[in-house]
């Protein structure tokens, strides 16, 4: 039982929302255009998303274990799972799990490619694996060189919705590409937000996150600007669809921006900073849920 709890801690299951919601968005867009497949196909797609997330979580934990050991300002949103740092799991076990879930992703991608007679699933999976490697591992290791947040936004904002959409459709010609700027920006702001609490340990280990490069205050201002612009884009340039709870999701996003202002001058380890990060993540997820519901209904 203790071993299971350790692996549950390492898996950080709440973070599955980062992966599954973009997959549901791509699915919703395809369904709105009349594409459909049996429900078990969606289950298979979501299982692929679970494998993807576990590959990312375990891969980052293994790569960042030295920096995480220095981290005294970690939160539930940042700083890794702490499973290696706390001695609950060995780094070798986490590395083995990373390789295992990468293997599962590739197996599923090959199966999807054969099933759909389309190699795009295998190609997009290779891109997903390459993004994680470029983010966390030499020789590129952008999370330390600077620009890692961009890779996160590309993976979650571009690759996953496209993967899910193509799973149900026949090509990309009808995909809602006008969504891409907003999806990239909100996922970028969320990635920026999760770097805020880890600033002290990232600075010590020369990890060039946006917070280390530009400073906490400027990053928070940039996040609020991105969220505001994205919300305006959602309500003006994107086609408006009436659906249940539209006013509620819009209200949640507005409140996320407004309440984030109280944490503008907060520092690592302070509850107001955790609130700021939570609200940024909530904004990003709500933005995508708003889109999912608008296409579904």
């Amino acid at each position: 039982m203790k071993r299971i709890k350790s692996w549950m801690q390492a898996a950080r299951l709440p973070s599955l929302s980062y992966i599954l919601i973009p997959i549901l968005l791509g699915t919703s867009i395809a369904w709105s255009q009349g594409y459909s497949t049996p429900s078990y196909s969606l289950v298979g797609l979501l299982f692929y998303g679970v494998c993807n997330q576990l590959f990312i979580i375990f891969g980052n934990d293994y790569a960042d274990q030295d920096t995480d050991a220095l981290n005294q300002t970690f939160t539930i949103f940042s700083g890794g799972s702490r499973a290696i740092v706390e001695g609950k799991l060995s780094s070798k076990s986490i590395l083995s799990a990373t390789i295992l879930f990468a293997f599962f992703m590739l197996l599923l991608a090959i199966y999807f490619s054969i099933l759909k007679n389309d190699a795009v699933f295998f190609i997009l999976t290779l891109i997903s694996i390459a993004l994680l490697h470029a983010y966390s591992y030499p020789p590129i290791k952008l999370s330390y060189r600077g620009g890692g947040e961009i890779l996160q936004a590309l993976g979650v904002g571009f690759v996953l919705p496209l993967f899910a959409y193509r799973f149900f459709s026949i090509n990309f010609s009808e995909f809602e590409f006008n969504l891409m700027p907003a999806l990239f920006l909100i996922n970028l702001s969320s990635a920026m937000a999760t770097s805020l609490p880890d600033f002290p340990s990232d600075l010590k280990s020369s990890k060039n996150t946006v917070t280390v490069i530009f400073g906490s205050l400027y990053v928070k201002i940039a996040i609020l600007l991105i969220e505001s612009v994205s919300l305006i884009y959602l309500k003006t340039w994107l086609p408006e669809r009436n659906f249940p709870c539209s006013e509620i999701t819009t209200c949640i996003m507005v409140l996320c921006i407004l309440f984030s202002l109280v944490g503008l001058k907060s520092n690592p380890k302070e509850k107001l900073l955790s609130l700021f990060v939570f609200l940024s993540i909530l904004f990003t997820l709500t933005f995508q849920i708003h889109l999912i519901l608008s296409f579904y209904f």
Side-chain angles (χ1 to χ4, degrees):
M1 181 62 71
K2 186 177 180 181
R3 187 76 171 174
I4 293 174
K5 288 182 178 179
S6 296
W7 278 108
M8 293 289 284
Q9 176 182 330
R12 300 179 71 185
L13 295 181
S15 64
L16 278 171
S17 58
Y18 299 160
I19 297 293
L20 298 185
I21 287 179
I23 286 177
L24 290 175
L25 175 57
T27 300
S28 184
I29 294 171
W31 285 1
S32 73
Q33 297 170 352
Y35 297 108
S36 63
T37 56
S39 57
Y40 61 79
S41 294
L42 178 58
V43 174
L45 182 60
L46 292 175
F47 179 68
Y48 173 88
V50 172
C51 292
N52 193 338
Q53 177 64 4
L54 292 176
F55 163 69
I56 293 170
I57 289 295
F58 294 145
N60 281 331
D61 255 18
Y62 179 81
D64 283 347
Q65 56 186 296
D66 292 336
T67 299
D68 290 345
L70 298 172
N71 196 334
Q72 300 299 316
T73 57
F74 58 89
T75 67
I76 60 172
F77 313 110
S78 63
S81 72
R82 319 297 299 170
I84 297 177
V85 175
E86 294 172 0
K88 295 179 179 179
L89 294 171
S90 68
S91 60
K92 184 178 179 180
S93 297
I94 294 294
L95 178 60
S96 296
T98 303
I99 296 170
L100 178 65
F101 283 102
F103 179 69
F104 284 161
M105 286 174 62
L106 288 170
L107 278 183
L108 286 169
I110 291 171
Y111 172 72
F112 294 157
S113 295
I114 294 172
L115 182 68
K116 304 285 185 178
N117 193 29
D118 191 345
V120 70
F121 304 105
F122 185 70
I123 294 170
L124 289 175
T125 297
L126 289 179
I127 292 173
S128 294
I129 292 173
L131 286 173
L132 185 277
H133 195 277
Y135 177 83
S136 294
Y137 294 90
I140 301 176
K141 206 173 185 180
L142 282 190
S143 64
Y144 283 80
R145 295 175 183 269
E149 294 84 2
I150 294 174
L151 294 183
Q152 292 182 58
L154 288 173
V156 181
F158 283 12
V159 176
L160 286 175
L162 285 172
F163 190 105
Y165 178 82
R166 187 61 173 265
F167 187 83
F168 294 99
S169 66
I170 55 175
N171 54 54
F172 292 126
S173 63
E174 296 179 283
F175 185 78
E176 299 282 350
F177 284 102
N178 57 329
L179 295 176
M180 287 305 199
L183 290 176
F184 174 78
L185 285 174
I186 61 166
N187 283 290
L188 177 63
S189 68
S190 181
M192 292 164 62
T194 56
S195 75
L196 289 167
D198 298 337
F199 170 74
S201 58
D202 288 344
L203 183 63
K204 289 178 184 177
S205 58
S206 301
K207 187 175 183 180
N208 288 318
T209 63
V210 289
T211 304
V212 171
I213 296 171
F214 298 106
S216 177
L217 180 60
Y218 289 113
V219 168
K220 290 172 191 168
I221 292 171
I223 289 169
L224 293 178
L225 287 175
I226 288 172
E227 291 173 355
S228 300
V229 169
S230 298
L231 183 56
I232 293 170
Y233 184 70
L234 177 67
K235 306 304 290 187
T236 55
W237 281 286
L238 297 180
E240 181 65 31
R241 293 176 171 86
N242 292 320
F243 64 92
C245 304
S246 173
E247 295 82 4
I248 294 175
T249 52
T250 301
C251 183
I252 290 173
M253 287 185 279
V254 171
L255 290 175
C256 282
I257 295 172
L258 293 177
F259 281 117
S260 292
L261 293 172
V262 302
L264 203 56
K265 294 186 178 181
S266 58
N267 297 308
K269 207 69 174 177
E270 292 180 356
K271 290 182 179 179
L272 283 180
L273 182 60
S274 293
L275 175 65
F276 185 96
V277 177
F278 167 75
L279 291 172
S280 178
I281 295 171
L282 179 61
F283 179 94
T284 298
L285 297 180
T286 305
F287 188 100
Q288 293 173 94
I289 290 171
H290 182 99
L291 290 172
I292 291 169
L293 294 174
S294 70
F295 284 106
Y296 184 80
F297 290 103

